[in-house]
């Protein structure tokens, strides 16, 4: 089938890779402009490039592209003036033409039109941009070598490392890597500058206006993976701040930093919880945040909203809506400070909720209320509030469509219902940069009740051809996390690619999934091989009973924790014709000390729990063909898991390699990929191999693989 013949982009992998991907959203201080970023294939089709687009908040005008370069642009935010700030590694026309490949710099696109220009640079690049809403203050993060006092010295030390061809990193603490990258030798520090004339200097090559960046924080790993917000007047920066904890562990706190003096003070330092996602109120008096209790092998985390006073140094933080049995994922303030706009997982969706303070306001004694605002069967991210509080803007996503910008009418929500009860409202789609692609099937919802009385629900994607007289083969997809849910479009694990080839795809939320309450998480805590497994089998039983599903042709697939569960499934049932396990945990005694944040794992299971729940113990019971997939640069689930699984399958499984070395198992190995497999052509190979393997074992088809493999 050629691209032109394919009825949808999901019938052709090349067309699928060409689909634009929208991410991020920023609203101007006056509420008149929205910007987002759009990721597309580069000219060689081997990488991604990102551009900034403008979206009309009224939904009248079409989206328009604001930036264009080979290097791309990202992290767009609005300055108080309405200028757009973004980061990019594209060449600076005012820089020395003989300079080396440029690092990511901070660029400014004027609100009144004109060319974008560089306003700040750092030897190690710039990121983490945040701008004050009512002042010309901007703060950025820049990685600096620990021995450097500032940016000038950092540049000299970097050049020295380059000249000596040094890559060594000397660590004095833990962790030493995160997800897919090494930590060090440089460390993030925060800087601040003013876009006003008083702190802007001439560029090194005579260019217009460069920020004078003042350093706010010094050496140390306190800002690894940090999150920040600025007070509207730009006088205080609130940031997460990592502190050392027992057992080579870290704990997240919140600190407030005076942007004029660099003096800092602790806002939230709870020995029993991590604090993150700080959001400063419009009056600059309060900080809302998310609190997550530190787990034990017996107790799962509790995630709640927190509130702390910014102008009362001696005030204690408080937990809000402690009886609301949902885990907040993001928080922003209403402009008048009367409440918080919160997102949280719920029943395979991620709605918007409104937390309203009592009449005595934040910090008062009156109880708060929490109401669901959105009625959509969707997940909302990047929520922004209009300056007058009349509307919300967000990205909406689900398994029916990728992220798209929408408007949520808060005024309409406030006007619904009676006797204080308000009815959720549907979001209105804006004219985004990319229309949703046509789907090759339908999305429905299924559920069942397990033997212990638990309700387990799932999304089921069905091909349009599925019927009682032509049932579709079934793929069970198991999500990662494990504290996660199938609630949002995924470009990496996209069920519609499989639906386009005739498969039904089941996306269940078993025990440990979020959005079903604390007890549902606790059911699987410390016992991954228990309720999560039986929940998956129960919902699979229910779906196999549907007339449009072929129970005789099934396979199971999962990545990360889903890969762990795929391995567990393989050792505990032979009901599936094939199993695909990606970036999977195999031997938990080996995984625990070698994952990038081993201290978190030590809080999750005792050695005895890990032994009882380790899939490798059941290798002899595996009688299902398995496709193992792993990337060498995966630091969350190190490559040793994949290597040991592969060797064990060939030597100890119920389907070992034959005497001549032939095997029904396969190992797809990516030497330079991480946990997710991100390069476009690698993603294509991933699907090609998976589809060929499933075709061989589920459909009894001759496997078709690209010649270059």
């Amino acid at each position: 089938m050629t691209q032109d013949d394919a009825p949808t982009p999901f019938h052709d992998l090349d067309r699928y890779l060409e689909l634009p991907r929208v991410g991020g959203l920023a609203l101007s201080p006056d509420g008149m402009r929205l910007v987002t970023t759009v990721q597309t294939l580069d000219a060689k089709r081997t990488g991604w490039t990102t551009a900034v687009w403008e979206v009309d908040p009224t939904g009248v005008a079409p989206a328009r592209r604001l930036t264009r370069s080979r290097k791309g642009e990202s992290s767009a935010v609005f300055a108080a003036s309405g200028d757009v700030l973004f980061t990019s590694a594209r060449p600076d026309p005012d820089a020395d033409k003989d300079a080396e490949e440029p690092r990511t710099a901070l660029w400014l696109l004027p609100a009144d039109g004109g060319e974008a220009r560089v306003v700040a640079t750092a030897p190690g690049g710039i990121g983490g941009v945040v701008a004050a809403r009512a002042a010309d203050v901007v703060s950025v993060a820049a990685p600096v070598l620990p021995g450097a006092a500032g940016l000038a010295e950092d540049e000299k030390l970097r050049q020295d490392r380059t000249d000596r061809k040094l890559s060594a990193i000397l660590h004095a603490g833990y962790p030493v890597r995160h997800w897919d990258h090494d930590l060090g030798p440089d460390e993030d520090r925060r800087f601040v500058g003013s876009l006003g004339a008083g702190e802007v200097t001439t560029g090194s090559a005579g260019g217009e206006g460069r920020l004078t960046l003042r350093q706010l924080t010094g050496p140390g790993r306190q800002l690894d993976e940090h999150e920040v917000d600025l007070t509207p007047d730009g006088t205080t920066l609130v940031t997460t701040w990592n502190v050392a904890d027992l057992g080579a562990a870290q704990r997240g706190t919140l600190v407030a930093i005076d942007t004029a003096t660099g003096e800092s003070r602790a806002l939230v330092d709870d020995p029993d919880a991590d604090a993150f996602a700080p959001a400063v109120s419009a009056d600059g008096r309060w900080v809302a945040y998310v609190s997550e209790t530190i787990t034990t092998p017996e107790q799962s985390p509790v995630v709640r909203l927190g509130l702390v006073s910014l102008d009362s140094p001696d005030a204690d933080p408080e937990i809000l809506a402690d009886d609301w049995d949902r885990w907040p994922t993001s928080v922003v303030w209403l402009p008048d400070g009367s409440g918080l706009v919160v997102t949280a997982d719920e029943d395979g969706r991620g709605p918007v909720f409104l937390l309203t303070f009592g009449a005595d306001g934040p910090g008062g004694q009156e109880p708060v209320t929490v109401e669901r605002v959105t009625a959509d069967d969707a997940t909302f991210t990047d929520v922004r509030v209009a300056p007058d509080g009349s509307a919300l803007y967000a990205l909406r996503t689900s398994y029916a469509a990728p992220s798209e910008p929408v408007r949520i009418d808060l005024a309409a929500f406030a006007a619904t219902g009676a006797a204080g009860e308000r009815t959720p409202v549907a979001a209105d789609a804006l004219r985004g940069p990319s229309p949703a692609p046509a789907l090759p099937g339908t999305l429905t919802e299924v559920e069942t009740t397990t033997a212990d009385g638990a309700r387990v629900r799932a999304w089921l994607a069905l091909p349009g051809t599925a019927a009682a007289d032509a049932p579709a083969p079934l793929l069970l997809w198991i999500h990662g996390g494990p504290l996660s849910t199938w609630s949002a479009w995924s470009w990496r694990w996209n069920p519609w690619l499989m639906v386009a080839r005739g498969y039904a795809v089941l996306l269940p939320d078993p025990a440990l999934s979020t959005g079903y309450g604390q007890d549902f998480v606790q059911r699987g805590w410390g016992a991954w091989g228990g309720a999560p497994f039986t929940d998956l089998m129960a919902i699979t039983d229910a779906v196999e009973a549907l007339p449009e599903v072929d129970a005789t042709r099934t396979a199971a697939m999962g990545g990360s924790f889903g890969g762990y569960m795929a391995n567990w499934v393989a050792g505990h049932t032979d009901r599936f014709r094939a199993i695909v396990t990606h970036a999977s945990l195999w031997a938990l005694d080996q995984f625990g000390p070698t994952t990038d944040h081993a201290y978190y794992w030590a809080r999750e299971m005792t050695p005895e729990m890990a032994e009882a729940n380790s899939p490798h113990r059941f290798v002899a019971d595996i009688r299902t063909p398995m496709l193992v997939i792993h990337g060498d640069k995966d630091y969350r689930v190190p490559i040793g898991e994949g290597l040991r699984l592969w060797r064990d399958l060939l030597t100890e499984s119920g389907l070992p390699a034959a005497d001549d070395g032939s095997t029904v198992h396969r190992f797809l190995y990516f030497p330079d990929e991480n946990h997710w497999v991100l390069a476009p052509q690698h993603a294509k190979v991933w699907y090609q191999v998976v589809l060929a393997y499933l075709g061989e074992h589920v459909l009894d088809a001759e496997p078709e693989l690209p010649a270059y493999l």
Side-chain angles (χ1 to χ4, degrees):
M1 180 183 295
T2 67
Q3 286 198 29
D4 292 337
D5 295 333
T8 75
F10 304 97
H11 288 82
D12 183 276
L13 288 173
D14 289 314
R15 278 186 64 192
Y16 173 72
L17 291 175
E18 292 170 356
L19 291 173
R21 307 176 179 193
V22 176
L25 197 66
L27 179 67
S28 63
D30 62 5
M32 302 300 291
R33 300 178 66 198
L34 275 172
V35 295
T36 187
T37 55
V38 180
Q39 187 183 69
T40 54
L41 274 179
D42 63 17
K44 294 184 177 179
R45 306 178 66 85
T46 57
W48 304 104
T49 186
T50 305
V52 179
W53 285 67
E54 183 166 354
V55 176
D56 180 8
T58 70
V60 175
R64 65 187 184 98
R65 187 169 181 168
L66 298 181
T67 65
R68 189 183 302 272
S69 73
R70 182 174 60 86
K71 288 290 185 179
E73 301 82 23
S74 59
S75 306
V77 300
F78 279 98
S81 62
D83 298 333
V84 178
L85 299 168
F86 61 84
T87 58
S88 178
R90 64 187 191 178
D92 177 7
D94 295 324
D96 182 357
K97 296 300 186 290
D98 296 327
E100 295 181 1
E101 189 77 6
R103 295 278 188 173
T104 301
L106 179 65
W107 291 69
L108 182 148
L109 183 64
D112 56 1
E115 293 291 332
R117 60 183 176 86
V118 174
V119 291
T121 60
I126 279 178
V129 184
V130 61
R133 286 161 278 180
D136 59 12
V137 178
V138 60
S139 176
V140 299
V144 179
L145 290 170
L151 295 178
E153 190 173 354
D154 182 54
E155 186 169 19
K156 295 177 182 178
L157 292 178
R158 287 177 183 276
Q159 188 59 54
D160 192 26
R161 284 181 64 91
T162 298
D163 293 344
R164 298 173 186 270
K165 300 187 182 301
L166 283 177
S167 61
I169 303 170
L170 177 64
H171 289 283
Y174 188 88
V176 300
R177 53 189 190 173
H178 180 72
W179 276 117
D180 62 348
H181 60 276
D182 295 316
L183 297 177
D186 50 19
E187 307 153 339
D188 270 354
R189 301 183 194 180
R190 290 303 304 190
F191 295 81
V192 68
S194 173
L195 294 168
E199 292 195 44
V200 174
T201 61
T202 302
S204 60
E208 181 184 3
R210 298 293 175 90
L211 284 175
T212 299
L213 293 179
R214 293 181 286 108
Q215 184 170 293
L216 295 179
T217 62
R221 307 225 66 94
Q222 296 88 352
L223 293 178
D224 283 348
E225 312 299 326
H226 68 290
E227 299 171 295
V228 299
D229 198 8
L230 269 173
T231 55
D233 62 6
T235 60
T236 304
L237 180 80
V238 179
T239 181
T240 54
W241 190 264
N242 298 321
V243 297
D245 213 347
L246 296 177
Q250 282 187 333
R251 179 168 49 83
T253 69
L254 295 182
V255 302
I257 303 174
D258 188 305
T259 58
T261 66
E263 294 181 1
S264 65
R265 59 185 174 90
L267 284 178
V268 180
D269 189 351
D270 183 348
D272 298 319
D274 288 301
F276 55 97
V280 180
S281 62
D283 61 8
R285 298 182 55 209
W286 299 93
V287 177
Y289 64 96
V290 178
S291 169
E292 180 176 340
T293 59
I294 293 173
T295 63
T296 70
E298 292 74 32
Q299 179 58 53
S300 58
V302 178
V303 184
R304 292 291 182 263
L305 289 169
L307 179 72
V308 64
S309 173
L310 196 52
D311 58 3
S312 300
D314 297 328
D316 292 328
E318 64 173 299
I319 295 298
L320 301 173
D322 197 27
D323 57 348
W324 182 42
D325 198 12
R326 292 293 180 264
W327 289 4
T329 52
S330 72
V331 55
V332 294
W333 284 84
L334 290 178
D336 62 2
S338 64
L340 303 171
V341 179
V342 185
T343 57
D345 292 334
E346 183 170 81
D347 230 33
R349 300 148 175 89
V352 175
F353 297 86
L354 180 62
L355 182 150
T356 305
F357 296 109
D360 49 357
Q365 298 302 309
E366 294 190 20
V368 301
T369 60
V370 181
E371 303 165 278
R372 179 168 170 168
V373 175
T374 54
D376 309 61
D377 290 333
T379 291
F380 294 86
T381 66
D382 301 272
V383 179
R384 305 291 178 254
V385 186
D388 62 0
S390 64
L392 307 176
Y393 300 96
L395 296 180
R396 178 179 61 191
T397 180
S398 69
Y399 276 103
S403 290
E404 60 176 349
V406 297
R407 182 182 186 275
I408 302 162
D409 192 337
L410 272 185
F413 169 71
T416 62
E421 296 181 359
R422 298 187 280 197
T423 305
V425 297
D428 298 316
L430 301 175
R431 300 183 68 179
S434 176
L439 300 179
T442 58
L443 187 68
T444 187
E445 197 168 6
V446 294
E447 64 178 67
T448 192
T449 301
T450 64
D452 65 351
R455 168 181 172 263
V456 177
R457 61 155 301 284
W459 296 110
L460 177 62
L462 283 168
T465 56
D469 59 349
L474 178 68
L475 301 182
L476 166 65
W477 278 19
I478 312 170
H479 70 61
L483 304 179
S484 185
T485 173
W486 290 117
S487 64
W489 187 274
S490 171
W491 292 104
R492 271 296 302 121
W493 281 70
N494 194 295
W496 299 112
L497 289 167
M498 324 307 282
V499 171
R501 286 146 184 88
Y503 294 97
V505 181
L506 177 63
L507 306 163
D509 280 349
L512 291 173
S513 298
T514 55
Y516 304 91
Q518 193 71 35
D519 290 345
F520 197 74
V521 173
Q522 190 65 39
R523 285 178 66 239
W525 191 256
W528 287 8
F533 170 67
T534 55
D535 285 359
L536 289 169
M537 296 303 100
I539 193 71
T540 302
D541 289 341
V543 171
E544 285 183 351
L546 297 175
E548 57 266 48
V549 171
D550 186 348
T552 68
R553 297 185 296 164
T554 63
M557 298 173 57
S560 194
F561 168 79
Y564 159 90
M565 189 53 67
N567 295 337
W568 186 266
V569 167
H572 288 79
T573 179
D574 58 2
R575 67 185 294 171
F576 299 103
R577 287 194 177 192
I579 289 178
V580 179
T581 180
H582 170 97
S584 67
L585 290 68
W586 174 242
L588 298 190
D589 59 337
Q590 169 183 279
F591 164 79
T594 58
T595 184
D596 55 352
H597 293 267
Y599 60 85
Y600 184 87
W601 177 253
R603 297 168 177 168
E604 190 154 341
M605 284 191 186
T606 64
E608 293 77 17
M609 289 176 176
E611 174 69 12
N613 288 277
S614 188
H616 83 283
R617 296 173 51 238
F618 305 95
V619 62
D621 297 321
I622 294 178
R623 293 175 175 83
T624 305
M626 295 187 69
L627 169 61
V628 180
I629 308 175
H630 222 109
D632 198 84
K633 303 304 181 185
D634 186 347
Y635 297 160
R636 181 56 48 93
V637 183
I639 184 60
E641 296 300 297
L643 294 175
R644 184 169 172 182
L645 168 57
W646 180 239
R647 184 263 181 193
D648 287 353
L649 284 176
L650 298 185
T651 59
E652 300 179 33
S653 76
L655 286 175
D659 292 342
D660 62 359
S662 61
T663 176
V664 295
H665 307 300
R666 294 291 183 271
F667 185 13
L668 178 58
Y669 170 65
F670 293 97
D672 53 359
E673 280 288 359
N674 53 36
H675 195 66
W676 302 282
V677 183
L678 297 179
Q681 296 304 316
H682 282 163
K684 179 179 177 180
V685 164
W686 191 97
Y687 277 108
Q688 287 174 319
V689 173
V690 168
L691 286 167
Y693 197 75
L694 294 176
E696 178 181 3
H697 295 283
V698 178
L699 306 181
D700 298 320
E702 188 70 25
E704 296 182 9
L705 289 168
Y708 45 72
L709 290 180

